[in-house]
Amino acid sequence: MDETSILCVACLRNEALRLPYFLDYHRRLGVTHFLFVDNASDDGTVALLSGQPDVSLWSTSASYKAARFGLDWTTWLQMKYARGKWCLTLDADELLVFPHNKTQTLRDLTLFMEKSGQSALGTLMLDLYPKGPIDQVTYRAGDDPLAAMPYFDPAPYRAVRQAPKDNLWVQGGARERVFFADEPRRGPTLNKLPLVKWHWRYVYINSTHAMLPREMNHAYDGPGESRLSGVLLHTKFLPVAIEKSHEEKTRKQHFAQPDAFGDYYDAVIQAPDLWHDGAVAYEGWEQLEALGLMSRGDWRT
């Protein structure tokens, strides 16, 4: 792996259903090598990844929560392998969209960012969902998840800065509307900084929502941002989300106070219909830019 490599780092557990499309999609964008940590999968994930020539795989059965929700593991990989390279840090249920992504690669994008002095790409995480109960969707490994669940909430989203790290906090969207309407402050954080020209001084401190040093958090101002930005299409609400919610409610590995989210897991287990009259079907990055959810900034091709 040389300095022109585009790396993708992820921590995984039981993602054999999503990974075939995830890998092919990000290969097409220009990822040259994947660095994965598997956390005790038992669904065939390890066998699937072990046969991939562009995948390096580490495995652990240690506590995901005790490892700062996997960040200790991925930070080690970034420190050892990503220094001086562009590194895309994702979850297996995220698909990166950036301006011109149908005609330009991640290499094109990062070359422009380097010329512009931009060392990180900010994104909005955009929840996708089907029309109808989520357990009625048909999805097989390798399918495009957008064909199964093409809808998203175009608005509202709100953003504030938090002291002392100046990290952005974007909330709103479908999960807040459906699961946290009575307590919106408990809704998910939707801003991320997934694509970074990695430096040994960098570290993520809350998934990819925030970083140190704190000036990195100013690489993105949220929806309406005029600078170059992207979107992470969040494919959580495939039918497998029901099974995963059962498991995570028992494992209690995904939240600092997991018992406080029992009602959330129970709601997902009930296979809700997230669609509403304000839903919009995904059409491409130009649509997201027109809605103010991402921006090409000065990158005009």
Side-chain angles (χ1 to χ4, degrees):
M1 294 181 287
D2 58 27
E3 290 190 359
T4 64
S5 298
I6 307 288
L7 305 182
C8 179
V9 173
C11 181
L12 312 167
R13 176 178 167 81
N14 288 342
E15 292 292 358
L17 184 69
R18 287 193 179 94
L19 279 170
Y21 188 84
F22 175 94
L23 288 166
D24 289 345
Y25 179 89
H26 290 103
R27 284 171 180 144
R28 290 195 300 269
L29 289 187
V31 169
T32 57
H33 203 86
F34 297 86
L35 307 176
F36 289 149
V37 178
D38 179 79
N39 186 205
S41 291
D42 57 13
D43 71 337
T45 290
V46 171
L48 186 158
L49 294 176
S50 297
Q52 306 289 334
D54 56 355
V55 171
S56 295
L57 180 63
W58 289 259
S59 296
T60 179
S61 58
S63 168
Y64 177 79
K65 183 177 179 181
R68 291 192 307 131
F69 309 104
L71 282 181
D72 289 343
W73 304 329
T74 55
T75 298
W76 184 87
L77 294 178
Q78 289 155 341
M79 291 179 65
K80 187 170 179 64
Y81 298 107
R83 283 192 276 182
K85 303 178 183 67
W86 283 94
C87 182
L88 180 62
T89 304
L90 297 173
D91 294 331
D93 60 6
E94 295 172 341
L95 303 172
L96 177 66
V97 174
F98 58 83
H100 316 292
N101 66 308
K102 293 296 185 183
T103 58
Q104 304 293 301
T105 67
L106 281 165
R107 184 64 180 153
D108 298 320
L109 171 66
T110 54
L111 284 172
F112 175 81
M113 290 174 67
E114 288 178 359
K115 291 177 183 177
S116 304
Q118 186 173 341
S119 58
L121 182 76
T123 61
L124 174 72
M125 185 163 57
L126 195 63
D127 291 309
L128 301 178
Y129 48 84
K131 186 174 185 179
I134 64 174
D135 64 349
Q136 299 303 304
V137 171
T138 299
Y139 183 82
R140 296 178 178 85
D143 289 351
D144 182 351
L146 275 82
M149 45 180 189
Y151 297 101
F152 66 91
D153 281 21
Y157 298 95
R158 62 191 184 280
V160 297
R161 290 272 171 201
Q162 294 183 297
K165 300 180 183 68
D166 290 341
N167 55 296
L168 192 66
W169 189 20
V170 176
Q171 292 181 288
R175 276 182 291 165
E176 181 181 285
R177 170 176 55 81
V178 175
F179 303 112
F180 300 99
D182 294 336
E183 297 181 85
R185 285 183 61 83
R186 295 182 61 220
T189 301
L190 301 178
N191 54 288
K192 289 198 166 187
L193 295 167
L195 181 62
V196 176
K197 180 71 175 289
W198 206 260
H199 190 281
W200 67 268
R201 295 189 305 121
Y202 294 170
V203 64
Y204 287 117
I205 54 174
N206 176 21
S207 180
T208 58
H209 302 305
M211 296 186 70
L212 290 175
R214 68 178 190 172
E215 57 263 26
M216 293 297 293
N217 295 317
H218 288 275
Y220 181 53
D221 287 331
E225 166 75 82
S226 61
R227 294 171 296 176
L228 178 65
S229 61
V231 160
L232 292 179
L233 300 177
H234 191 211
T235 68
K236 176 181 177 68
F237 292 108
L238 293 173
V240 72
I242 298 170
E243 175 185 341
K244 284 180 171 288
S245 293
H246 275 292
E247 181 184 27
E248 294 308 331
K249 186 177 180 182
T250 302
R251 292 182 72 234
K252 300 183 178 182
Q253 290 287 298
H254 273 267
F255 295 103
Q257 297 178 304
D259 289 337
F261 288 85
D263 290 345
Y264 167 68
Y265 286 130
D266 287 341
V268 177
I269 290 167
Q270 294 302 311
D273 182 353
L274 283 73
W275 193 89
H276 69 140
D277 288 342
V280 172
Y282 178 75
E283 298 174 0
W285 73 266
E286 298 95 336
Q287 172 201 35
L288 299 181
E289 184 180 50
L291 291 168
L293 301 179
M294 61 181 284
S295 174
R296 78 186 79 185
D298 295 325
W299 193 25
R300 312 285 169 171
T301 65

